[in-house]
Amino acid sequence: MRKFYVVLLFTFLLLTGCGEIIEENMSEKVKSFSYTNQNGKEVTSEDLKGGYWITDMIFTSCETVCPPMTGNMARLQQKLKENEIENVKLVSFTIDPETDTPDRLKEFADKYNVDYSNWDFLTGYEFQEIKEFSILSFKNLVDYSKDTGFIHGTNFYLVTPEGKVIKSYDGLKASSTEAIVNDLKTLIK
């Protein structure tokens, strides 16, 4: 019996010594897409493969949650630079594609001093498509009614180089940017 415990302990130490693993709270595959960014260029799910990416859902006429979420994403972009974490993309999908043209998305993003080298603001689809995409890929409710207007979740999502969503973070909390950076440091080691 003692041998069993020694083997069990050795196996545990071996597995934990192989590196830290982040605590995942999701396991969804991002559905394939091909949309248009703020510069009018096509961005596809294939373009994002090979590197980690962080995403959220916003719309430019939002006056409540989208400005602080975009501010936090801009903070995250700066922290990634400060920590020399490269090959990580940021992607913001509009949930109001009828209004949010590439020019309007760029105008909105410019207010946050965005570095477009690794951050795309996407449009170029119908509302129903982004609603289904958001629910299927991120389990993130997106909806619209005349009474409430547009509604959407406020999370940021961490996507693996293979296109799998593995973790969500509260996009309204500035502290989430630190958590994302720490998780990426662990994953990229």
Side-chain angles (χ1 to χ4, degrees):
M1 188 64 147
R2 184 179 171 145
K3 268 186 169 179
F4 172 76
Y5 287 116
V6 169
V7 170
L8 186 64
L9 179 61
F10 177 75
T11 303
F12 174 76
L13 292 174
L14 181 66
L15 290 174
T16 59
C18 290
E20 297 176 50
I21 298 174
I22 69 165
E23 183 180 326
E24 298 177 11
N25 59 17
M26 293 188 72
S27 179
E28 301 298 326
K29 182 85 173 136
V30 175
K31 304 303 172 209
S32 127
F33 66 86
S34 177
Y35 299 143
T36 305
N37 76 4
Q38 70 283 345
N39 297 319
K41 295 199 166 126
E42 180 185 48
V43 175
T44 71
S45 48
E46 286 298 310
D47 296 334
L48 299 170
K49 287 199 172 169
Y52 287 95
W53 49 289
I54 309 297
T55 190
D56 67 351
M57 302 283 165
I58 54 123
F59 62 106
T60 62
S61 60
C62 172
E63 296 177 354
T64 56
V65 296
C66 300
M69 287 175 65
T70 306
N72 284 336
M73 192 72 89
R75 233 180 312 288
L76 173 61
Q77 187 178 51
Q78 187 58 41
K79 285 180 186 288
L80 292 171
K81 285 180 187 176
E82 290 168 4
N83 286 276
E84 298 177 357
I85 299 174
E86 299 174 358
N87 198 28
V88 172
K89 300 271 189 186
L90 307 177
V91 180
S92 293
F93 295 91
T94 180
I95 64 161
D96 184 7
E98 188 174 315
T99 303
D100 291 342
T101 63
D103 288 340
R104 184 157 175 154
L105 286 170
K106 187 156 183 1
E107 182 182 316
F108 173 80
D110 282 346
K111 296 175 190 172
Y112 296 91
N113 299 314
V114 167
D115 175 356
Y116 295 106
S117 67
N118 73 328
W119 191 352
D120 288 300
F121 289 76
L122 299 182
T123 190
Y125 38 79
E126 298 294 323
F127 172 75
Q128 190 61 33
E129 184 178 350
I130 195 64
K131 177 180 177 176
E132 290 171 13
F133 174 78
S134 181
I135 291 168
L136 292 173
S137 297
F138 308 106
K139 302 298 180 223
N140 179 47
L141 175 66
V142 167
D143 209 355
Y144 175 82
S145 79
K146 289 181 181 179
D147 295 333
T148 61
F150 287 101
I151 59 170
H152 61 92
T154 57
N155 286 342
F156 291 169
Y157 300 93
L158 173 58
V159 183
T160 68
E162 298 77 33
K164 182 179 171 191
V165 184
I166 58 171
K167 192 163 183 180
S168 67
Y169 307 82
D170 187 337
L172 293 173
K173 290 185 178 176
S175 60
S176 290
T177 61
E178 278 299 323
I180 294 168
V181 166
N182 289 335
D183 284 347
L184 286 167
K185 283 180 180 179
T186 299
L187 291 167
I188 293 173
K189 275 194 224 184

